[in-house]
Amino acid sequence: MRLESFEPAAYIAPEHRAAYDRRFVTLLLDEGSLRRGGVGEVIRAVSPRGERFALKRLRTTGVDDGDSGSVAALRASFDAEYDAHRALASLRGFPRLFGRGRVEGDPVIVMEWVEGVTLETAARALAVDGAGRLSPLVAARIGRDLFDLLARMAYLDGGLAHRDVSLRNVMVDTSRLSVADQVEEGSFQLVLIDFGSAAPLQDGDSSLTARYGAACGATADYAPPEMLTEDVAGMDGLRHSPAVDVYAAAGVLYALLEGRPPYDLSFEARDRCGGLSAFRMKTEFSPEPPAGAHGAATDVRAVLAAEPEVAVAVGRAVAELTDAPSPHGIRLALATVDGQLDALLAACLAPVAARRPSPAAMRDALALFCSQYADNVARALKGEPLAPCPLGPAAAATRRSRRLRRGARITARALSAAVAVGVAVSVGVLVQGMSVTFPANEPWWTGPLPGAVAAAALLLPFVGALAARGRAVPTTLGLVAGALGALLGAALAGFLTALTAWPTPAVEQALYGALFLATAAPLPLLVADRALTPAGAAVPVAAAPSRPVLPWIASSAAAGAPPSNIGGEGAGCAAAALPDASPVAAGDEAEAAYEVVDEMSEELA
């Protein structure tokens, strides 16, 4: 393919412009990599120098039989996509952009070829059960890194909203590490692609009216309500907000946890709900809370076999228990920990954009969830409150507090060890070769004292404290047991000192002073471990949703099932509950549901 009228995406010095353009004049296309969309296509291209690029081409031939207005609109949309991509290309996690040109009259964008797989493909490979669910820890780490990508978009002047975050538009870059290696590393190299729906964070026209038989804009399964209607006045302003991407990214995280999007928008499901539109389903009903791979597991051991990191955390926690829990107890404990994600997802999937958290707040909350996952598994198995992962400034404050506490514990442990070892080594050096008799009254041995023996005796309080405390590190019992262990070790060392005949009384008195320091040495360690270990906080009970819950109903079992009662008490959504497809729900809950739409309109006032 020959690329004409090439225009670099960034400034190139005049003396280097010709050499830069030659890289893109003639490109060899890999037809096996061709992926077609509605009116565009993406294909991998290789330059004569072996450089690989991705070419996105807008096909204008045959569009409405050459209607000039339609072609002009498509070209304008393609130019807007190029401008949005150029604004993001300098950030990590977004494909590099080289420039644009024309091929046979069609506009073409030349960008970096991302070596990897879409998140949709990676999710199928990483599923731990037959429903396509991922390990909740892996899903949360992917969500953390995805929200980190969205948070980086705030660095741009004026800001930018992607507006089509979905499993297909997020790639896992495997040029350095495979997907499996990234799972093991606990960090994912995500790349956000396809900026056809991106828009600056300012008021403007972002119509999603259908063109050529297909809706132009966000993927409906993940899009927020404001992206799915043209019938509510004043929605344009809400579409130019980071909250749009927060909602969609939360939908992606939900899909990773459940193997499906939050809402079933199939014709069958919408028909059973009385013919409601996707907009009304997402504003009038809350999605069903995700069960997760652990909560939905019939055999939790089979799930743990597919997530070794979680299995190790469970094994270590079980080893600290007196009685081993049953598989059902382990499943409940893991489901309790995974349930912390419910509140985070619910906040992001709020129908009112102003109530959704920022991408940075979600990133920090998910980072906390991941970092304390193993600790919370142990807490859940012991029946203790979980360490929280709050949203907003509280998350950053919690992370700073954890770092400070960890640093203080490390300092206290180092101080204790330094005092204990320093006293032992100093005494060992000073008494090395000193003539002593043991025991003093009826000698069994007389001669020069090895310094190592005296040093070992002075380490007895420190060793006794650690041995007596055992694994009860953050408890009061561990503190008391450690102190008693130190006293027992000191009593034994003092008894041996008293039985020994020393050259002068002054030496014996100095040894008792050193023994006092050795006995006090473990105390900073014991107190710091007890006082500075983060205490578990009770998991807040989520308030009853103001909207009825909409369960997933597109399944072979649900197809022949009678109309279900959604949301429990009198919140029906089947066609039988809404006769004649009337948009009237049952009871007072329906009135509360419609208030959501009113709030979205009032937000624009």
Side-chain angles (χ1 to χ4, degrees), residues 279-458:
F279 171 79
R280 290 190 58 191
M281 291 179 72
K282 291 194 173 188
T283 53
E284 298 177 18
F285 297 95
S286 294
E288 190 175 20
H294 300 136
T298 55
D299 183 5
V300 71
R301 291 169 294 190
V303 176
L304 288 175
E307 43 179 4
E309 184 176 355
V310 178
V312 170
V314 171
R316 289 176 176 172
V318 169
E320 297 179 0
L321 301 177
T322 304
D323 299 322
S326 65
H328 179 65
I330 293 175
R331 184 182 72 85
L332 290 179
L334 291 173
T336 300
V337 177
D338 301 338
Q340 289 188 315
L341 295 174
D342 295 352
L344 302 181
L345 289 174
C348 294
L349 296 176
V352 180
R355 296 181 180 176
R356 300 170 200 155
S358 68
M362 270 298 291
R363 175 199 60 199
D364 293 341
L366 289 172
L368 266 179
F369 174 85
C370 297
S371 64
Q372 59 197 20
Y373 190 85
D375 180 55
N376 272 338
V377 168
R379 291 177 182 274
L381 287 171
K382 295 175 183 176
E384 299 175 356
L386 304 183
C389 49
L391 272 170
T398 301
R399 295 181 68 182
R400 286 195 298 270
S401 175
R402 286 171 59 87
R403 288 195 295 266
L404 291 174
R405 287 171 177 265
R406 187 183 301 112
R409 291 201 308 273
I410 293 174
T411 302
R413 291 172 179 176
L415 176 63
S416 292
V419 171
V421 174
V423 169
V425 171
S426 299
V427 171
V429 171
L430 292 175
V431 303
Q432 173 68 30
M434 186 176 292
S435 180
V436 299
T437 300
F438 184 84
N441 296 331
E442 298 179 0
W444 296 346
W445 177 81
T446 300
L449 175 66
V453 174
L458 287 174

Side-chain angles (χ1 to χ4, degrees), residues 17-170:
R17 176 66 185 270
Y20 186 83
D21 289 354
R22 280 196 297 271
R23 299 170 59 189
F24 310 100
V25 171
T26 302
L27 299 173
L28 307 176
L29 304 184
D30 177 10
E31 296 181 354
S33 66
L34 179 64
R35 298 292 182 270
R36 284 193 171 93
V39 291
E41 62 186 30
V42 177
I43 191 170
R44 179 169 58 187
V46 182
S47 73
R49 297 169 55 181
E51 297 175 291
R52 291 185 296 179
F53 307 105
L55 266 66
K56 187 167 187 177
R57 180 177 182 178
L58 176 65
R59 291 281 188 177
T60 58
T61 55
V63 175
D64 280 358
D65 296 327
D67 178 67
S68 58
S70 298
V71 172
L74 285 175
R75 290 182 184 274
S77 177
F78 201 68
D79 290 341
E81 176 181 353
Y82 176 79
D83 293 337
H85 191 169
R86 182 167 59 178
L88 293 167
S90 60
L91 300 178
R92 184 170 61 88
F94 299 89
R96 288 177 296 169
L97 187 64
F98 297 102
R100 60 181 172 181
R102 295 184 179 276
V103 173
E104 299 175 353
D106 292 336
V108 173
I109 297 176
V110 184
M111 67 189 82
E112 174 188 8
W113 175 263
V114 180
E115 193 65 41
V117 296
T118 65
L119 199 51
E120 185 178 43
T121 301
R124 288 196 294 266
L126 298 176
V128 296
D129 64 11
R133 299 181 179 93
L134 271 64
S135 164
L137 178 58
V138 173
R141 285 172 172 167
I142 294 176
R144 173 200 64 197
D145 295 340
L146 175 57
F147 278 102
D148 185 45
L149 278 183
L150 301 182
R152 292 176 204 163
M153 296 172 69
Y155 298 149
L156 300 176
D157 291 338
L160 195 73
H162 185 276
R163 306 201 305 181
D164 194 13
V165 178
S166 65
L167 288 174
R168 294 184 179 181
N169 286 339
V170 180

